[in-house]
Amino acid sequence: MPYRVPKSRLLPPRTAREVERQRLSELLHRGFTKSPLMVLAAGAGYGKSTLLSARPAVWLTLGEDCSDPVVLGWHLLEAYRPRWGQGLDGVSSALERGAWASAGEAMLEALSAGPPHLLVLDEAQRAASRENVALLRMLMQIPGLHIAVLTRRAAPWEVLGRVLGEGELAFDAAEALQLAEAIAPELPVFEVEQAHSLVRGWPLGLRLLLRAMQRGAKPEQAFYAHPDPAGLLAYLVPALPDEVQQLAARASVLGELGPEETAWVGDLGLLERYAADLLLESVGSRIRFHPLVRQALMTLLQPEEVRNLLSRAADAVLQRGEDVRAAGYLLEAGRMGHAADLVLSKGQAWLSEGLTYTVLAMLERLPEDMLRTRPGLRYLHAEALRQAGRYAEAEQVYQLALQEGFQRALLGLSRLYLDTVEPAKAQGYLQAARVSYPKEAAQLWAENLLNSGRVEEARALGLDGPRVWLRSGRPEQALAELRQLKSSATGRAPQNHREGTLLLALLEAVAGNAPSAEEAAQKGRREGETLGSPFVVALAEARLGHALLAQNRWQEAREAYQRSLSLSQGGPSRLRVEPLGGLAALGERKAFGEMVRYARESGDAWVEAFMTLVAAQAHLRRGEPFALPVLAGVDDPFLLALARNAQWKSDPEGLLGRYPFLQNATLFAPPVHLSRRLLWEAGKLDVAYHPGVSVEIRARGPFQVWVNHQEVRLKREKTRTLLALLLIRDWSKEALMEALEVSDGEFRVLWSELLGALEPGRPPRAPGYFLRPYALCRVPELRVDLWEDARGKEGPFEGLDHPVLERYRAAWLQDVLRACRQSDAPEDWLFGLRLDPLDEELLARLEHTELAALARRIHREALEELELDS
């Protein structure tokens, strides 16, 4: 159910604009050219809202409830819905399940194609939270978006962009005179200047002081830049009849009022007649008190009367179904017992709507004795912590609730260990929960069976979905279903890492395509960073490692797995399984044993088998031996079929036909030369001949040729030169013979030697697979580093001497030097200087960095070598 956003929060306030603040407008313009976000941080009354409300913008006035990122997300959705409509359905779907980080990603995608615009967040100090800072950091990536954060305190927003403080926002002398001319033109200029000096440029203070001076007050009697509420009353009260004073005082308790409050607050029309004296802001059909005016007027009321008014406000909004707002009023009124009871009765529903941080904030405001006398609140606290991904804290609070006799904590602990995929730990709590809560525990029991690898038992209990299809040998179906859930405007992909973006990353790596898996893993990492969850970030890094492993990007995969393992320290055992398995796939023997130990400790036999086969296939693609152990306790037909055909010497089961994704760059794909050879033997590959080998040519650094992971040494130097020339471009036979300075007979010998080296065992008269007259064929089994990275930092064709190759090296050097000079990274400048130690421009840049001493040494040694140092 969508969160109800008051319409008045989507409208800028209508305030008096007597002063044209051109100076500030220019400051904002210059600031936005350097950063997409500007923070206007100053106390109340510095004209922040007035300045921005004159501009066309998407406007949001934030309330205390917006400290919850899900609530802020609903506000953003409502603010943007009139312009973007159905394009934001993915945002709505994510917010409905409380996935605010996913909602931010969806909003980023939806708005990135839109026109440039300004987003204003007013009263942002009410919504200050780490989560909201992270959400705004994500939105700052939207092209053309400028965000103005209006707040009374710079923290925590100051990390996002430039801050304009009270010094910049204060009126200068010219602006003070403009204001005086508008509201008190009869005052002498020198008195206006004195007043401006006394209030230190504070716009609201100057406005009040000028009104008081109109009534005969002297400037030196005024308060200074930060008056207390009692001082402010001295300037408000004289202009107000007693009846209006009392009405304003009662109305100010709510801060903002509309027609629905008239019945029990009083005649709001009377207040509107004194809007200028009360500095009221008009927002749609509602009126809003300035924060300082509200604070001042409330001092006219007795504390008990304030509590009664807040209680009455709580009752009124409860009748309208605004439970969260009612709880806020009760907490402000100090009615802790009533607030605790409301949170207890509504908290679970709020959590189901994704208002995790709202519940946590309310519980933190309740005293400890409220939680102790209401064990249900303790359980609710644990549920909110679990939903926020704070698993260690949630576990402690669940245990405390259990000790206090709240048996539903058994279900909570079960869900916790399902979230962390630790079926062994969940087992005992689930068995106990099945006794007291058989219906609620049934689904959890089925999922735990799935996590244990007992897939058929889980399916027999009615469990289905992408994870079931993955673990029952149908990864293609799992991927198709999850893609549908993620793309459907009405379908609701279940929340959390087990079912969301990171499951998609895994399924793409298994049965889709590795680049899509990489993209999903990167997105999952961003979501984890936004959530501030080491658990999610660690899992995202592991899934990124899988995507890179599937693409044979070995070093990048190793780095991702190592980051994942580092982040998983202190987390559940299951979190270490995937990165350890990935490192085992890259040849770290100790990692394999640790992976098996942690998988068994968590009770997940399926993931042990899964990562074992990942390691086996990676070793096969790397041309390294791997002794595949027996897969015990696994009934996944896909994994078992892979195990039976681990070496891919033949394809008796027709795996390539049954699982066509194995022909793509995926985790379980055999080496491409083996799969394509098997397809050719089966008559499913339209080539005349397939050699059944892979070829790797390394032209960066020393020139090397590898066939099936074994280095091949060509007998003739001219054969090596021939191959190097073929890497640069296609040739005619005559041009090659001329370049090599050989006769027709000599050329045939060279060509034959090269063909035999690249395709050992090729039958006589079989057409070449890697070579055609007179070029290299760009086939999947051929990898050339020169083609993959034209600007790699190792020079090409080292050790080969030929004019064509020399010209290629010279052009490469100029390209790399040009890129180094255009770079902003000192490391690139240093690399350019190593290539050309006499480059004065790069040397001058490095003089202002930590690399200056090293750069001077490289330059000096080059001069000495050339005997130019004298």
Side-chain angles (χ1 to χ4, degrees):
M1 174 182 172
Y3 188 85
R4 183 181 178 276
V5 177
K7 296 299 181 186
S8 60
R9 293 188 180 180
L10 308 178
L11 300 172
R14 296 195 296 272
T15 57
R17 298 191 185 95
E18 301 94 343
V19 180
E20 290 293 331
R21 309 205 67 185
Q22 190 62 34
R23 173 182 58 87
L24 271 182
S25 295
E26 291 175 0
L27 268 178
L28 280 174
H29 176 73
R30 289 199 301 270
F32 280 132
T33 61
K34 298 178 181 178
S35 169
L37 185 142
M38 294 283 287
V39 180
L40 281 67
Y46 270 85
K48 304 182 294 292
S49 304
T50 301
L51 175 68
L52 271 299
S53 62
R55 295 170 171 242
V58 176
W59 188 279
L60 270 180
T61 299
L62 305 183
E64 302 288 348
D65 53 343
C66 292
S67 60
D68 187 325
V70 172
V71 177
L72 177 58
W74 281 117
H75 281 66
L76 288 165
L77 177 63
E78 288 304 312
Y80 278 107
R81 197 188 296 276
R83 297 189 187 187
W84 272 264
Q86 292 185 346
L88 297 169
D89 286 344
V91 181
S92 177
S93 175
L95 290 172
E96 284 182 11
R97 60 183 194 272
W100 60 272
S102 297
E105 281 282 341
M107 184 164 284
L108 173 60
E109 293 173 9
L111 302 184
S112 288
H117 65 282
L118 173 66
L119 168 65
V120 179
L121 302 179
D122 198 8
E123 299 291 352
Q125 75 283 344
R126 297 173 179 169
S129 68
R130 185 206 66 79
E131 293 78 19
N132 284 344
V133 169
L135 182 56
L136 286 193
R137 183 175 279 118
M138 182 181 291
L139 296 183
M140 286 169 64
Q141 301 173 50
I142 297 172
L145 173 63
H146 290 160
I147 305 175
V149 177
L150 316 185
T151 175
R152 288 182 233 165
R153 296 184 302 275
W157 313 107
E158 76 273 24
V159 300
L160 297 175
R162 184 185 169 189
V163 177
L164 295 183
E166 292 182 356
E168 291 97 340
L169 294 169
F171 275 173
D172 62 17
E175 291 167 333
L177 290 173
Q178 281 186 50
L179 181 64
E181 182 65 27
I183 67 175
E186 69 277 12
L187 294 177
V189 170
F190 76 90
E191 287 193 6
V192 174
E193 291 176 345
Q194 187 180 6
H196 172 255
S197 176
L198 284 168
V199 299
R200 301 176 187 175
W202 181 35
L204 176 63
L206 181 61
R207 180 182 294 276
L208 291 171
L209 183 52
L210 290 173
R211 286 189 173 278
M213 290 163 64
Q214 277 184 308
R215 296 193 296 268
K218 295 298 182 183
E220 58 270 14
Q221 296 172 341
F223 52 84
Y224 285 81
H226 302 286
D228 58 33
L232 187 58
L233 280 178
Y235 299 92
L236 292 173
V237 169
L240 301 175
D242 290 344
E243 177 189 4
V244 176
Q245 287 183 37
Q246 291 303 312
L247 175 60
R250 290 198 306 276
S252 68
V253 172
L254 301 186
E256 181 181 305
L257 305 93
E260 59 268 34
E261 282 86 16
T262 302
W264 60 278
V265 173
D267 182 10
L268 300 186
L270 181 59
L271 290 182
E272 290 175 346
R273 291 201 289 273
Y274 292 87
D277 297 290
L278 288 167
L279 306 178
L280 291 178
E281 299 173 353
S282 176
V283 187
S285 62
R286 300 175 69 79
I287 59 172
R288 184 182 296 154
F289 284 87
H290 191 282
L292 284 182
V293 174
R294 177 178 184 257
Q295 189 180 3
L297 288 170
M298 285 175 62
T299 62
L300 296 174
L301 303 174
Q302 295 297 318
E304 187 58 35
E305 187 176 1
V306 173
R307 284 194 293 272
N308 289 338
L309 285 167
L310 287 169
S311 298
R312 192 164 181 181
D315 294 337
V317 295
L318 264 177
Q319 290 176 4
R320 298 202 298 266
E322 298 177 44
D323 304 328
V324 173
R325 194 174 171 195
Y329 280 137
L330 290 172
L331 287 168
E332 189 176 357
R335 293 175 57 186
M336 295 301 176
H338 288 83
D341 290 339
L342 182 58
V343 173
L344 185 60
S345 64
K346 300 291 185 179
Q348 201 64 55
W350 294 340
L351 288 181
S352 68
E353 294 169 11
L355 304 181
T356 307
Y357 296 90
T358 294
V359 173
L360 285 172
M362 289 181 180
L363 289 169
E364 287 167 2
R365 292 176 67 179
L366 293 174
E368 174 63 23
D369 64 323
M370 293 290 175
L371 275 66
R372 195 163 39 246
T373 56
R374 295 169 174 81
L377 287 177
R378 187 85 70 191
Y379 171 73
L380 191 66
H381 188 200
E383 288 280 277
L385 289 168
R386 179 181 62 82
Q387 198 159 296
R390 293 158 60 178
Y391 297 123
E393 295 172 75
E395 185 177 28
Q396 293 177 359
V397 180
Y398 277 131
Q399 293 290 0
L400 186 56
L402 203 56
Q403 292 169 17
E404 292 174 352
F406 199 80
Q407 292 300 300
R408 288 189 70 83
L410 294 168
L411 289 170
L413 284 162
S414 301
R415 292 190 187 96
L416 173 67
Y417 297 129
L418 287 173
D419 280 357
T420 57
V421 197
E422 296 179 281
K425 285 187 176 181
Q427 183 78 8
Y429 292 108
L430 274 171
Q431 287 178 336
R434 291 176 80 189
V435 175
S436 303
Y437 310 100
K439 185 175 180 180
E440 293 172 82
Q443 179 80 6
L444 304 180
W445 181 265
E447 187 173 349
N448 204 55
L449 287 173
L450 179 68
N451 287 350
S452 304
R454 296 157 64 181
V455 183
E456 293 307 315
E457 293 178 67
R459 292 183 61 194
L461 294 174
L463 194 67
D464 61 11
R467 293 183 70 244
V468 173
W469 311 137
L470 171 63
R471 287 178 171 240
S472 58
R474 291 185 275 178
E476 278 184 301
Q477 181 180 346
L479 177 58
E481 185 171 312
L482 188 55
R483 281 174 175 169
Q484 178 63 28
L485 285 170
K486 297 288 283 185
S487 63
S488 171
T490 56
R492 289 186 51 178
Q495 167 146 15
N496 70 40
H497 55 87
R498 301 200 311 280
E499 303 289 352
T501 306
L502 294 183
L503 179 58
L504 180 64
L506 179 63
L507 288 171
E508 289 283 7
V510 172
N513 68 82
S516 295
E518 184 179 353
E519 181 182 344
Q522 296 282 17
K523 181 178 178 181
R525 183 190 169 94
R526 289 195 303 270
E527 291 178 7
E529 289 172 340
T530 302
L531 289 166
S533 171
F535 185 101
V536 175
V537 176
L539 190 56
E541 286 287 5
R543 300 287 160 86
L544 176 60
H546 298 341
L548 296 168
L549 191 72
Q551 298 174 74
N552 298 337
R553 290 158 60 182
W554 312 116
Q555 184 55 36
E556 293 173 84
R558 185 185 305 278
E559 291 167 0
Y561 288 132
Q562 287 170 340
R563 289 193 299 267
S564 176
L565 195 59
S566 177
L567 287 163
S568 69
Q569 297 305 313
S573 302
R574 172 63 177 79
L575 199 54
R576 298 183 184 86
V577 172
E578 291 186 45
L580 284 169
L583 291 172
L586 293 166
E588 296 190 18
R589 295 185 179 182
K590 183 180 177 182
F592 183 77
E594 291 180 351
M595 181 277 288
V596 170
R597 177 166 65 86
Y598 282 120
R600 293 178 181 177
E601 183 179 307
S602 66
D604 192 345
W606 182 88
V607 80
E608 177 187 337
F610 181 90
M611 291 310 304
T612 297
L613 286 165
V614 166
Q617 293 303 306
H619 276 75
L620 188 61
R621 292 200 301 276
R622 289 161 61 87
E624 298 172 353
F626 184 86
L628 184 68
V630 175
L631 305 181
V634 177
D635 56 6
D636 182 328
F638 172 59
L639 296 186
L640 292 174
L642 285 175
R644 288 191 294 269
N645 204 20
Q647 294 302 312
W648 289 94
K649 294 180 178 177
S650 62
D651 190 14
E653 298 183 73
L655 288 182
L656 292 173
R658 286 164 52 199
Y659 305 109
F661 56 83
L662 292 173
Q663 301 171 40
N664 305 330
T666 52
L667 273 176
F668 297 113
V672 65
H673 65 279
L674 291 183
S675 62
R676 286 170 64 82
R677 171 76 183 201
L678 292 172
L679 290 171
W680 177 70
E681 290 176 351
K684 297 178 180 178
L685 187 64
D686 187 19
V687 295
Y689 168 72
H690 193 285
V693 298
S694 63
V695 173
E696 181 179 359
I697 303 173
R698 303 174 189 174
R700 299 286 182 206
F703 191 75
Q704 296 176 312
V705 182
W706 296 70
V707 176
N708 272 3
H709 308 287
Q710 299 292 322
E711 186 173 5
V712 173
R713 298 193 178 276
L714 298 167
K715 297 177 183 178
R716 297 171 176 82
E717 184 64 20
K718 285 193 175 182
T719 308
R720 298 177 75 230
T721 304
L722 167 62
L723 179 56
L725 292 172
L726 293 175
L727 296 182
I728 295 176
R729 61 182 174 87
D730 294 354
W731 299 75
S732 67
K733 182 178 180 181
E734 293 73 16
L736 269 178
M737 290 171 58
E738 182 179 347
L740 292 167
E741 297 179 343
V742 294
S743 65
D744 183 70
E746 288 176 299
F747 180 79
R748 285 199 299 271
V749 171
L750 297 177
W751 189 262
S752 177
E753 180 187 353
L754 183 57
L755 193 59
L758 299 184
E759 301 180 23
R762 184 177 63 87
R765 299 187 183 84
Y769 183 76
F770 294 106
L771 289 171
R772 61 178 171 81
Y774 286 93
L776 277 168
C777 300
R778 300 206 176 202
V779 291
E781 299 85 348
L782 174 63
R783 182 186 174 195
V784 180
D785 60 356
L786 199 65
W787 296 349
E788 294 175 356
D789 180 11
R791 290 191 176 182
K793 289 191 174 182
E794 282 189 285
F797 304 123
E798 288 184 14
L800 291 178
D801 184 19
H802 191 278
V804 173
L805 302 181
E806 286 295 336
R807 288 195 294 272
Y808 184 92
R809 270 196 294 266
W812 167 84
L813 178 63
Q814 291 306 312
D815 284 346
V816 174
L817 281 172
R818 188 180 305 111
C820 289
R821 293 187 187 107
Q822 293 172 351
S823 173
D824 294 326
E827 295 79 9
D828 289 338
W829 303 342
L830 185 68
F831 178 72
L833 191 68
R834 290 186 188 279
L835 292 175
D836 184 1
L838 302 182
D839 192 308
E840 297 290 344
E841 178 188 344
L842 292 175
L843 181 64
R845 288 193 207 175
L846 288 162
E847 284 291 348
H848 305 289
T849 72
E850 296 179 353
L851 301 171
L854 179 57
R856 285 194 294 269
R857 191 184 73 187
I858 293 170
H859 183 68
R860 185 177 62 252
E861 289 175 353
L863 292 175
E864 292 172 354
E865 186 175 342
L866 295 171
E867 298 181 353
L868 298 174
D869 57 325
S870 56

